[in-house]
């Protein structure tokens, strides 16, 4: 399908799309900071074989609105609840990566009745210190996304992958450059102010944590913390940096589908 929008209670328009068989269980995918739903393209053929895949552009990103000002993780989590309500979806599986995994942690603790299974990939429950995020917000305000893109790509992919798979890295770079600086900054503030460490034990959904063994943005010990804190969580590690779903597309898809089935 082509995309559609829902308008949330605060007036923000969120873009979404469905792919896959209409009668299949719904799998919601939540994107990382600075990307759009296209970041999940490497998974779509595998995921749509057995799931109705719901993708959306986060507040501040892509085809969704980018209101000015700081966002909060509560707001980003409620965006998903309002989207599900608008689409008449009571319960879905959720797979989120990085910021999407933070939204997944929030949903797991605050809205457990809306979740089937939960996949938290390349994410963290807390990402201090605040000064680092303030510096990033200032950099994007002064120089736009171009000021950050090279440093971000260096964290998101191993040097070998950047050299060997330029066709996979180029669309991600383009997504970063096309992201609204105001929306990016708003989501940076949400991550800066987030602390999900104390609520992790409240997550009751069956949970899979995925980490990348070469991830400098959310190192493996961050995922190990979540896997230890969430009751019964499983933990899988892939040979990848931060965007493990792109760098290890097949391994990522297999891990997720093995868990969901």
């Amino acid at each position: 399908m082509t995309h559609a929008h829902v308008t949330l209670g605060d007036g923000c328009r969120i873009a979404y799309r469905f792919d896959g068989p209409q009668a299949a269980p719904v799998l919601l995918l939540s994107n990382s900071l600075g990307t759009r739903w296209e970041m999940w393209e490497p998974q779509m053929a595998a995921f749509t074989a057995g799931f109705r895949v719901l993708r959306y552009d986060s507040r501040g990103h892509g085809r969704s609105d980018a209101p000015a000002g700081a966002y909060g993780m509560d707001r980003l989590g409620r965006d998903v609840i309002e989207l599900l309500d608008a689409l008449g979806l009571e319960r879905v599986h959720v797979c989120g990566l990085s910021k999407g995994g933070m939204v997944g942690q929030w949903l797991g603790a605050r809205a457990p009745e809306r979740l089937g299974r939960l996949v938290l990939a390349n994410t963290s429950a807390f990402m201090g210190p605040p000064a680092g995020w303030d510096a990033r917000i200032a950099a994007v305000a002064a120089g736009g996304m171009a000021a950050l893109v090279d440093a971000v790509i260096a964290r998101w992919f191993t040097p070998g992958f950047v050299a060997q798979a330029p066709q996979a890295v180029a669309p991600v770079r383009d997504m970063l450059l096309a992201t609204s600086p105001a929306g990016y900054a708003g989501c940076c503030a949400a991550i800066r102010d987030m602390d999900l460490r104390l609520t992790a034990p409240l997550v009751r959904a069956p949970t899979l944590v995925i980490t990348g063994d070469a991830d400098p943005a959310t190192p493996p010990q961050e995922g190990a913390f979540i896997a230890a804190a969430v009751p019964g969580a499983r933990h899988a590690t892939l040979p990848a940096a931060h965007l493990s779903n792109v760098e290890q597309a097949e391994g990522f898809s297999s891990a997720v589908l093995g868990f969901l089935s």
Side-chain angles (χ1 to χ4, degrees):
M1 67 168 273
T2 53
H3 71 275
H5 286 86
V6 299
T7 301
L8 306 184
D10 71 341
C12 182
R13 293 167 77 244
I14 297 291
Y16 71 93
R17 66 174 288 162
F18 282 107
D19 294 276
Q22 267 196 293
V26 175
L27 169 60
L28 173 102
L29 303 178
S30 188
N31 55 286
S32 68
L33 178 66
T35 64
R36 301 188 301 267
W37 66 49
E38 284 89 347
M39 74 160 272
W40 297 107
E41 282 303 327
Q43 277 65 55
M44 291 306 292
F47 285 1
T48 54
F51 292 94
R52 189 176 191 211
V53 178
L54 171 58
R55 290 181 288 174
Y56 74 103
D57 283 344
S58 169
R59 174 181 296 255
H61 290 68
R63 305 156 192 81
S64 295
D65 288 348
Y71 311 157
M73 202 52 65
D74 282 348
R75 179 66 265 174
L76 298 181
R78 287 202 306 274
D79 288 350
V80 174
I81 299 298
E82 289 192 48
L83 175 64
L84 296 180
D85 287 349
L87 297 175
L89 296 170
E90 267 185 50
R91 188 184 285 262
V92 298
H93 301 305
V94 171
C95 174
L97 187 143
S98 193
K99 177 178 66 64
M102 298 165 193
V103 172
Q105 292 170 70
W106 187 94
L107 292 167
R110 303 296 182 87
E113 71 285 355
R114 308 305 292 268
L115 298 188
R117 288 179 169 248
L118 177 62
V119 179
L120 305 172
N122 300 84
T123 193
S124 176
F126 176 75
M127 287 194 77
W133 292 100
D134 289 336
R136 202 185 292 200
I137 290 167
V140 78
M145 293 301 295
L148 298 175
V149 67
D150 289 338
V152 171
I153 291 292
R155 286 195 303 274
W156 281 9
F157 302 110
T158 62
F161 187 75
V162 172
Q164 292 157 19
Q167 76 289 350
V169 175
V172 176
R173 178 184 288 274
D174 291 344
M175 281 186 256
L176 280 162
L177 288 171
T179 297
S180 155
Y184 186 89
C187 284
C188 284
I191 297 170
R192 175 195 67 197
D193 298 339
M194 161 198 82
D195 191 344
L196 298 166
R197 291 175 292 189
L198 290 177
T199 53
L202 301 177
V203 176
R204 288 288 174 265
T207 299
L208 170 66
V209 177
I210 296 175
T211 52
D213 66 359
D215 183 352
T218 52
Q221 64 266 26
E222 298 293 323
F225 170 86
I226 297 169
V230 172
R234 301 185 206 172
H235 185 190
T237 302
L238 295 172
H242 191 53
L243 254 62
S244 66
N245 75 299
V246 177
E247 185 157 351
Q248 291 290 335
E250 206 170 303
F252 186 97
S253 299
S254 296
V256 172
L257 292 175
F259 174 70
L260 293 180
S261 62

